[in-house]
Amino acid sequence: MILEYLTIALIALLSMIVSGNNLSAAVGTVVGSRIVSRQFGLLLGAGGFSLGLIIEGRFLSDSIFRIMPDVSYYVVVVLLISFVLFALATYFRIPLSLTMAIVGISLGVSLRARFTPDMPYVYLVIAAWVLAPFLSIISSFYLNRKVTAVKINDVWEAARIYKILLVLISFLTAFTLGANTFGLLAAMGHDSMEIITVMIIAIFAGAIFLSGGVIRRVSQDIFGMRYANAFVSLLVSSVLVEGATFFSLPLSNTQTLTSSVFGSGLSYNTKAMMSKPFLQVVAMWIISPLFGMLLGFLIA
Amino acid sequence: MVNYHFLKKIMVIGERQSLLEMQKYMDIAIENSLILIEIFQRPEDPIEDKALRVSENEKKADNITLELKRNITSGAVGSTLMDNFLNLIETFDDIIDRTYWISREMTRTKDSLIANSFHMEPVGNFYSGFCAILEKNIDAVKKVNQMLQVSDIDGAKSIRTDIEKMEEDVDEIKDGIIDRLYRISESITYLTFNHINSVVHTLDDLLDDCEDIADLILNTMMSVSR
């Protein structure tokens, strides 16, 4: 019983942090470009996360227990390590992917518990993680070139259309993140009604109380992009995460979004890009699951 | 129920609205240029009333600047374009400030020339060149006004080219004036030399500002559509 309560509490805490951290990825552009107010952005993002979780979160329901044993103690261990890791990463501003960390920790726990994971599924997840960034970069590179090559007769009409599209795509990005990342978390609590309800409350709480600094920073710094770039990056990212959700594959939204932003940047002939931050993020994609796996193995 | 304010915010392009608001500077810039032309055409006439009108216009422009900056920093324009818009406003305001500076310079110079019993003839010839620059400035300001209203990039680029050509013409007029000024420098006072030299440079800056504004508008249009 205690372990069940602990599971709910840890899922709620993680949901709060993830919501606060990822809100900017979904709605940073529309808030930063002042298309919507910060309050409306919060509603748009948290609403998208929640709807994604409710409608499509179930696609991830058979994901986590194909990797780790369905034992309450191990679930709590995975959640606890994830929580500590993610909280530390947030504090030190390290771009850690929760999805990757959870999968890594789960594999470490499985090794320790001598549980045999569904290896074809594990390979599929790893393949998705390796392929997704390349697909993101290539898709956004070409799509951005196509979009920017379109002859525009009325600049202001184009801006108006982009603004509407950005609001829609921001919601879609939040929706896919809700379905995949929050879906994975919900799967650890067996998608029960209580878990979903607690998670939705935590999502809104995280969006309201934990997103402030991040949303301001990301909106103004990282998403200092033109409307077309932002639209392409969010579109590519959300399509890939949505695709992964349909195949029950946990895919980091940060991974696809960072790659598509990089791809959009590459599509310009005159490049003034700093590749160092991108390479640091890429390094974290490799370190997160491996470090998580090590911790899972040692602590479980 | 559909939120009206939300729809309004989506449908009304803040960048577009802010650019159209900047048209308020145009009438002031043109009026000040016309007053300066009047002053340069008849330097012997009293100029106090004309200088006062220029000064009042400068105050009006300051108020417009204040209002526009408030709108832009409080949400009309996204953070990525905010610097562009603030630069635009500053440059528009600079045009008005420069016309005000020239009117002040004329008041001071005229007082000084009269007080020292100097004749106006040595400077009179230069003033016709100043009028030619101011006429070009009026044309450039009208072009900037057109640019604020266009919706297509090609149209904006074409207007920008026209403004660039005007700026080059003004550079030639300015060079001619300075060459002439140096040729007669032995026969004029330092005060007259300095007066002509500083006014011609300020007049040239007016056209440079118009060119800068054209670049900023074009950049803004490209940013919102690409």
Side-chain angles (χ1 to χ4, degrees):
Chain A
M1 199 66 180
I2 293 168
L3 287 177
E4 274 174 35
Y5 284 132
L6 211 53
T7 304
I8 294 173
L10 284 168
I11 288 176
L13 279 172
L14 275 168
S15 300
M16 264 181 85
I17 300 177
V18 171
S19 171
N21 253 304
N22 287 276
L23 197 78
S24 50
V27 300
T29 314
V30 283
V31 174
S33 56
R34 310 274 181 98
I35 296 171
V36 301
S37 64
R38 187 172 172 271
Q39 286 78 10
F40 192 87
L42 290 182
L43 195 67
L44 192 76
F49 291 156
S50 305
L51 267 180
L53 170 66
I54 295 166
I55 297 170
E56 290 186 358
R58 62 197 159 83
F59 287 128
L60 269 290
S61 59
D62 67 337
S63 56
I64 195 73
F65 296 120
R66 289 162 84 173
I67 298 172
M68 63 171 281
D70 186 359
V71 177
S72 297
Y73 167 74
Y74 291 126
V75 170
V76 169
V77 168
V78 170
L79 287 170
L80 198 62
I81 298 171
S82 305
F83 172 70
V84 173
L85 259 185
F86 206 61
L88 284 175
T90 305
Y91 183 77
F92 290 110
R93 295 188 166 203
I94 297 166
L96 180 87
S97 158
L98 180 75
T99 307
M100 291 178 140
I102 286 181
V103 173
I105 297 162
S106 305
L107 282 171
V109 166
S110 296
L111 276 176
R112 186 60 180 258
R114 296 175 191 283
F115 173 82
T116 313
D118 180 349
M119 284 318 284
Y121 178 73
V122 173
Y123 295 142
L124 201 62
V125 171
I126 294 168
W129 290 356
V130 174
L131 274 177
F134 289 108
L135 275 174
S136 293
I137 292 172
I138 293 165
S139 311
S140 57
F141 179 89
Y142 284 106
L143 201 56
N144 204 51
R145 286 230 159 151
K146 284 273 177 208
V147 168
T148 48
V150 172
K151 169 103 178 129
I152 289 166
N153 293 321
D154 189 328
V155 167
W156 307 113
E157 193 52 39
R160 182 173 290 131
I161 293 167
Y162 272 130
K163 281 190 170 194
I164 296 167
L165 286 176
L166 274 172
V167 174
L168 295 175
I169 203 71
S170 295
F171 179 78
L172 185 65
T173 305
F175 181 91
T176 55
L177 198 141
N180 200 292
T181 305
F182 288 105
L184 181 69
L185 273 176
M188 299 189 85
H190 296 98
D191 292 288
S192 68
M193 272 302 286
E194 299 83 53
I195 281 289
I196 303 284
T197 312
V198 166
M199 280 181 78
I200 290 170
I201 295 167
I203 284 170
F204 275 90
I208 294 165
F209 300 113
L210 301 179
S211 68
V214 181
I215 200 167
R216 212 173 302 122
R217 181 162 46 85
V218 175
S219 305
Q220 291 174 3
D221 300 345
I222 300 175
F223 289 94
M225 300 170 79
R226 292 177 174 185
Y227 292 155
N229 310 146
F231 171 71
V232 166
S233 303
L234 289 172
L235 178 71
V236 167
S237 170
S238 47
V239 165
L240 283 172
V241 176
E242 183 67 1
T245 305
F246 274 109
F247 288 102
S248 300
L249 297 171
L251 183 63
S252 162
N253 172 279
T254 325
Q255 198 184 16
T256 53
L257 190 58
T258 312
S259 309
S260 54
V261 167
F262 189 73
S264 286
L266 282 179
S267 71
Y268 283 97
N269 290 328
T270 46
K271 296 177 192 77
M273 288 179 60
M274 289 187 291
S275 49
K276 197 179 168 191
F278 179 71
L279 294 176
Q280 281 173 347
V281 174
V282 172
M284 283 313 294
W285 295 341
I286 300 162
I287 295 167
S288 304
L290 291 176
F291 187 60
M293 202 166 139
L294 182 72
L295 283 180
F297 182 78
L298 292 176
I299 297 170
Chain B
M1 200 180 87
V2 178
N3 185 322
Y4 170 74
H5 291 291
F6 169 67
L7 275 183
K8 193 178 162 204
K9 206 162 182 186
I10 296 268
M11 300 316 285
V12 175
I13 305 299
E15 294 86 349
R16 168 72 155 163
Q17 284 300 111
S18 301
L19 285 180
L20 291 176
E21 289 284 310
M22 288 177 203
Q23 285 184 296
K24 289 175 185 168
Y25 286 112
M26 300 299 135
D27 291 340
I28 297 175
I30 291 173
E31 196 190 335
N32 278 6
S33 299
L34 288 170
I35 295 170
L36 290 179
I37 289 175
E38 271 181 54
I39 292 173
F40 287 129
Q41 277 174 343
R42 284 187 295 279
E44 297 83 13
D45 290 356
I47 63 165
E48 287 79 12
D49 289 348
K50 290 166 191 154
L52 187 68
R53 272 161 56 204
V54 172
S55 165
E56 281 165 0
N57 280 341
E58 195 267 339
K59 281 180 193 139
K60 266 192 227 168
D62 282 346
N63 288 334
I64 294 169
T65 301
L66 205 68
E67 186 193 335
L68 279 172
K69 276 190 179 173
R70 199 184 306 130
N71 283 348
I72 283 163
T73 51
S74 60
V77 168
S79 53
T80 48
L81 283 172
M82 200 184 285
D83 284 348
N84 237 23
F85 274 83
L86 292 176
N87 274 343
L88 258 177
I89 294 170
E90 286 295 340
T91 317
F92 272 119
D93 196 41
D94 280 351
I95 292 181
I96 313 296
D97 285 346
R98 290 187 209 284
T99 57
Y100 174 64
W101 182 87
I102 295 169
S103 83
R104 293 286 304 139
E105 169 68 12
M106 281 307 287
T107 310
R108 274 190 292 265
T109 308
K110 204 162 171 299
D111 286 349
S112 173
L113 289 173
I114 292 165
N116 291 297
S117 307
F118 292 146
H119 294 294
M120 298 295 285
E121 286 87 56
V123 290
N125 286 334
F126 291 104
Y127 285 175
S128 58
F130 292 174
C131 290
I133 296 179
L134 282 163
E135 273 156 18
K136 285 276 179 195
N137 182 52
I138 292 172
D139 291 343
V141 168
K142 284 178 182 166
K143 286 282 178 189
V144 168
N145 197 28
Q146 274 180 34
M147 204 170 172
L148 288 173
Q149 297 173 63
V150 293
S151 301
D152 63 309
I153 301 266
D154 290 341
K157 278 182 181 167
S158 153
I159 296 171
R160 193 211 163 279
T161 310
D162 293 344
I163 294 171
E164 194 178 32
K165 175 77 179 59
M166 286 172 191
E167 200 272 328
E168 284 166 10
D169 292 346
V170 165
D171 270 347
E172 277 179 34
I173 299 172
K174 180 192 77 176
D175 285 344
I177 289 173
I178 294 173
D179 290 346
R180 204 143 42 93
L181 182 65
Y182 274 84
R183 276 201 298 272
I184 65 157
S185 59
E186 299 273 325
S187 60
I188 55 173
T189 62
Y190 168 74
L191 180 75
T192 309
F193 181 91
N194 185 54
H195 165 64
I196 300 295
N197 195 39
S198 46
V199 171
V200 78
H201 278 102
T202 310
L203 285 168
D204 178 55
D205 287 345
L206 291 175
L207 268 292
D208 287 341
D209 285 341
C210 287
E211 200 182 10
D212 289 347
I213 288 170
D215 287 342
L216 286 165
I217 296 172
L218 192 62
N219 275 341
T220 303
M221 289 175 81
M222 291 176 92
S223 288
V224 297
S225 62
R226 291 267 185 263

